[in-house]
Amino acid sequence: MYAMIRLLYVVCCFLILQTSKASEGDRCVQYQGCLQPCQHQCKDGIFDKNQTRYMLLLGWDCREECKYTCMWKTVEAYEAANVRVPQFHGKWPFVRIIGVQEPASVLFSILNGISNIWAYKQYYSAVSSNAPLYTTTTIHAILAANAWLWSSVFHARDFPWTEKLDYFCATSLVLYSFYLSIHRLSYELHGHNVHILRWIAGNLIGAFYLGHISYLTFQSFDYGYNMKANVAVGLMNSITWLSLCFRKRKKHLHVKKMAAAIIMTNLFLMFELSDFPPVWWTFDAHSIWHFLTIPMPLLVYSFLKDESLKLQKEYETKQKFP
C-alpha cells in the first residue's frame, strides 16, 4: 500500500512538472508534503538551539535542514518507484559531509587552487620580475587562486552570494586567460602595434566583463547565457594559443606543453557541458571536470616559464646586437 502511495506521488510530480519551470524534485508532492509541516515546526526555535555551531555557520538552520531531509525522503520515493531521480532547486542531490554540500567539488577546487599556486611558485623562482610576461602571468595566478577559492566556498554551501562570486570570479579568469594569449601574441608585432593591440584587447575584454556581470546581476542570472559566453571566450583563447603553438612548433619544443593543456582542457570540457546524477551521490559531471583540470596548471606555468625566459633572452640578444 505504501509503495503504491509513493508511486502516485511520483506520478503527481510529473504532472506538476509539465506546467512548472522549477526543478522537478522541489515541486514534487512528496517533497512539499514533507517540507511544509517540517518548516512549520521551525517556529519554536528548538532545532536551531540544539544545532551544532559549525552547522549553523554553514547555514544549516532548521528550514535548510528540512529541505535536506525532505529531499532524501523524496529521493527514496523515486528510487522505490524505479524512476530517475530529479534535481532539487536546480541541483542534483548530494550527500553532505560535515555540512559541506558538494564535498567532491570542494576537494577538487581546493586541489586546483593548490596546483595553481605550486605551479606559479616554480615560475616565480625561475623568472625575474622584469622578464616578459611576468606581470601578466602573476595577475593570472592571482585570479586563478581567487577563482578556485570561491569555487570551493560556493560548492561548500550554495547561497545566492556565493554562487555569484563563483561565477563572476570564474569568468574573470576565463577572460584574463584570453587577454594573456593576446598579450603573448603581441610580442610577434613591432613598434606601436604592440601597445595598440594590448590596449584595445584590455579595454574590450574589461568592458565585456563589466557588461557581463552587470547583466547577470541586474537583468537576469541566465545560466545558459553565462555558459555560452564562457565557452565562446574559452574557444577564442584556445584558437589563439594553438595558432601560436603551431607557428612555433619546430623552433620551440616547449610550446607542446601549452598545446597539450589546451587540447586536454577542451576534451575535458565535455564533462562541464554534460549533466548526470552524481555517482554515489557525490561525483557529478562538474566535480569530474574539476578533478581532470588539476594537473593543467603544471603544464601552463611550465610553458609560461620557458616562454618568458626565451623572450627575455631574445630581448637581451637584440640589445647586444641591434
Side-chain angles (χ1 to χ4, degrees):
M1 181 65 181
Y2 180 63
M4 181 60 70
I5 293 174
R6 288 191 295 187
L7 178 59
L8 289 173
Y9 275 145
V10 173
V11 172
C12 289
C13 291
F14 278 116
L15 293 175
I16 291 174
L17 181 64
Q18 301 304 313
T19 58
S20 172
K21 293 184 179 179
S23 297
E24 178 185 338
D26 52 89
R27 285 283 180 163
C28 179
V29 175
Q30 170 89 1
Y31 179 80
Q32 290 296 326
C34 169
L35 182 67
Q36 293 176 12
C38 179
Q39 290 189 338
H40 182 73
Q41 295 178 1
C42 293
K43 295 179 180 179
D44 57 23
I46 295 176
F47 178 89
D48 289 345
K49 290 180 181 178
N50 296 326
Q51 179 69 300
T52 56
R53 182 170 296 179
Y54 83 89
M55 290 289 279
L56 286 175
L57 288 173
L58 286 172
W60 292 110
D61 58 14
C62 183
R63 297 181 67 84
E64 291 298 311
E65 194 72 28
C66 284
K67 291 180 181 180
Y68 183 78
T69 302
C70 292
M71 176 185 71
W72 285 112
K73 288 183 178 180
T74 307
V75 168
E76 291 176 3
Y78 271 82
E79 291 180 329
N82 198 28
V83 176
R84 187 175 187 266
V85 174
Q87 292 188 345
F88 293 79
H89 302 286
K91 299 174 74 71
W92 292 111
F94 289 93
V95 175
R96 70 186 182 193
I97 298 178
I98 56 171
V100 173
Q101 198 166 2
E102 300 176 42
S105 287
V106 171
L107 174 62
F108 299 150
S109 294
I110 292 172
L111 291 177
N112 268 284
I114 293 172
S115 177
N116 271 276
I117 292 170
W118 188 88
Y120 174 73
K121 284 184 67 177
Q122 307 309 305
Y123 175 92
Y124 177 82
S125 62
V127 179
S128 62
S129 58
N130 63 345
L133 299 178
Y134 180 86
T135 301
T136 46
T137 299
T138 300
I139 295 173
H140 182 274
I142 293 171
L143 291 176
N146 181 63
W148 287 115
L149 168 65
W150 288 109
S151 175
S152 304
V153 172
F154 167 62
H155 290 301
R157 201 64 179 91
D158 181 358
F159 294 115
W161 66 274
T162 60
E163 181 178 50
K164 285 184 171 62
L165 282 170
D166 174 43
Y167 278 56
F168 296 166
C169 292
T171 301
S172 72
L173 178 59
V174 171
L175 287 170
Y176 195 81
S177 296
F178 181 39
Y179 173 76
L180 178 58
S181 70
I182 297 175
H183 185 89
R184 169 57 190 89
L185 190 64
S186 69
Y187 284 96
E188 302 300 304
L189 304 178
H190 303 283
H192 295 296
N193 292 333
V194 173
H195 301 289
I196 291 173
L197 177 61
R198 293 175 186 175
W199 186 87
I200 293 174
N203 280 277
L204 287 177
I205 291 172
F208 176 81
Y209 181 66
L210 291 176
H212 181 77
I213 62 174
S214 296
Y215 173 77
L216 292 175
T217 302
F218 302 112
Q219 294 295 322
S220 172
F221 201 83
D222 189 330
Y223 297 95
Y225 156 73
N226 181 74
M227 176 65 76
K228 291 174 183 176
N230 278 273
V231 169
V233 174
L235 288 175
M236 289 188 289
N237 180 41
S238 298
I239 291 169
T240 305
W241 279 120
L242 289 176
S243 62
L244 182 67
C245 291
F246 182 78
R247 290 172 56 190
K248 303 288 184 179
R249 71 190 187 282
K250 294 182 179 179
K251 288 185 178 181
H252 308 291
L253 295 179
H254 68 273
V255 300
K256 293 180 179 180
K257 299 175 185 178
M258 178 58 87
I262 293 295
I263 292 170
M264 286 191 288
T265 299
N266 280 278
L267 289 175
F268 298 155
L269 190 62
M270 69 176 71
F271 286 99
E272 176 70 350
L273 300 178
S274 63
D275 196 20
F276 54 79
V279 178
W280 301 315
W281 302 118
T282 302
F283 303 99
D284 66 332
H286 188 70
S287 67
I288 295 173
W289 153 254
H290 284 341
F291 171 75
L292 293 171
T293 58
I294 292 171
M296 295 304 102
L298 307 180
L299 290 171
V300 171
Y301 286 101
S302 179
F303 161 79
L304 291 171
K305 178 192 70 175
D306 295 338
E307 197 71 359
S308 290
L309 294 175
K310 177 184 75 69
L311 291 171
Q312 186 176 36
K313 186 177 180 180
E314 290 176 354
Y315 176 77
E316 292 173 349
T317 301
K318 288 181 180 178
Q319 292 294 102
K320 291 180 179 179
F321 308 102

